[in-house]
Amino acid sequence: MGAEARTTLKIGRQSYEGTALLETDELRFRGDTRMRIALRDVSAVSAKDGTLRVEHANGIACFVLGDVAESWAEKIRSPRTLADKLGIKRGMQVAVIDVDDRDILDDLEAKGAQLIIGSVPQDTMVVLFRIGRPSQLATLSAMTSRIARDGAIWVVHPRGDASVGDTVIFAAARDAGLTYTKVVRFSEHDTAEKLVIPRTAR
């Protein structure tokens, strides 16, 4: 969902081998140790000779990333918002179904989206549809008939719950005449799958 790279993490005199993941709102490390740095806690970031240096609330962490170090530094300096990753643009009509995270909705409104809560008007460009049960996917066909031909339905689901996992969503999408194109990290606990009408059917 975000950027991922094998790396050596250096904290003081200690070095750890593992994988670094740069997400929408945090930088994580998994390997010989684990670390999570919220991007809001980063006070300074720089890249030199392939090493990303991150100053944060609990100290300094250096990630040996090679050629991608500078691009990661730039992403941390100017992070893309969730609205950017969802393809939301100013003036776009966005239908919101069962998404009640106020911070996320505020982010969409700050981007200039026109939010429609609880329904999907005809020719809607984007639908945000959060599910917690497989039975909710039965409404995909009705939503498909109401979105713009080049619109999208983002199905938001809890990570780690196989009953509403991606394979379940993809099967329901096929039945509704949709195809999967993209996945993003929606929040700390949720993932979003992008479903669209295939080009051949538009």
Side-chain angles (χ1 to χ4, degrees):
M1 289 174 283
E4 180 175 329
R6 291 291 300 174
T7 186
T8 299
L9 167 63
K10 296 182 178 181
I11 304 173
R13 296 182 178 180
Q14 300 295 316
S15 295
Y16 307 94
E17 299 298 321
T19 300
L21 299 97
L22 180 56
E23 300 282 11
T24 303
D25 55 1
E26 67 180 9
L27 174 60
R28 288 186 285 159
F29 178 84
R30 296 173 179 168
D32 297 339
T33 189
R34 287 179 176 262
M35 171 178 279
R36 297 176 70 168
I37 303 172
L39 298 190
R40 65 175 178 273
D41 293 334
V42 174
S43 56
V45 60
S46 61
K48 183 178 180 181
D49 298 330
T51 296
L52 176 72
R53 186 177 189 271
V54 180
E55 297 181 32
H56 58 101
N58 295 317
I60 298 173
C62 295
F63 300 82
V64 181
L65 294 169
D67 294 341
V68 301
E70 181 55 49
S71 65
W72 279 42
E74 184 56 34
K75 288 176 181 178
I76 293 172
R77 293 187 197 105
S78 305
R80 294 179 70 202
T81 66
L82 177 61
D84 293 330
K85 293 188 175 185
L86 295 174
I88 306 300
K89 297 179 174 59
R90 181 167 298 279
M92 185 176 285
Q93 190 176 67
V94 179
V96 179
I97 309 297
D98 294 331
V99 175
D100 56 8
D101 188 313
R102 192 63 249 176
D103 288 341
I104 288 175
L105 299 182
D106 287 347
D107 180 39
L108 299 180
E109 289 184 322
K111 192 69 175 180
Q114 299 176 13
L115 301 187
I116 310 297
I117 307 298
S119 65
V120 182
Q122 195 66 41
D123 295 325
T124 294
M125 281 302 299
V126 175
V127 178
L128 298 183
F129 174 37
R130 191 183 189 284
I131 63 170
R133 305 182 310 278
S135 59
Q136 291 174 274
L137 291 166
T139 61
L140 276 181
S141 292
M143 288 184 187
T144 301
S145 70
R146 301 194 66 78
I147 63 171
R149 304 309 289 174
D150 57 347
I153 299 173
W154 286 94
V155 178
V156 182
H157 61 103
R159 283 196 294 276
D161 185 346
S163 71
V164 287
D166 54 6
T167 56
V168 175
I169 293 169
F170 298 162
R174 286 192 296 272
D175 291 343
L178 298 168
T179 188
Y180 158 82
T181 63
K182 185 179 180 181
V183 60
V184 303
R185 181 179 186 271
F186 192 78
S187 68
E188 183 178 354
H189 303 291
D190 291 341
T191 294
E193 316 284 350
K194 184 180 183 181
L195 308 178
V196 301
I197 299 171
R199 289 184 180 275
T200 55
R202 295 178 188 175

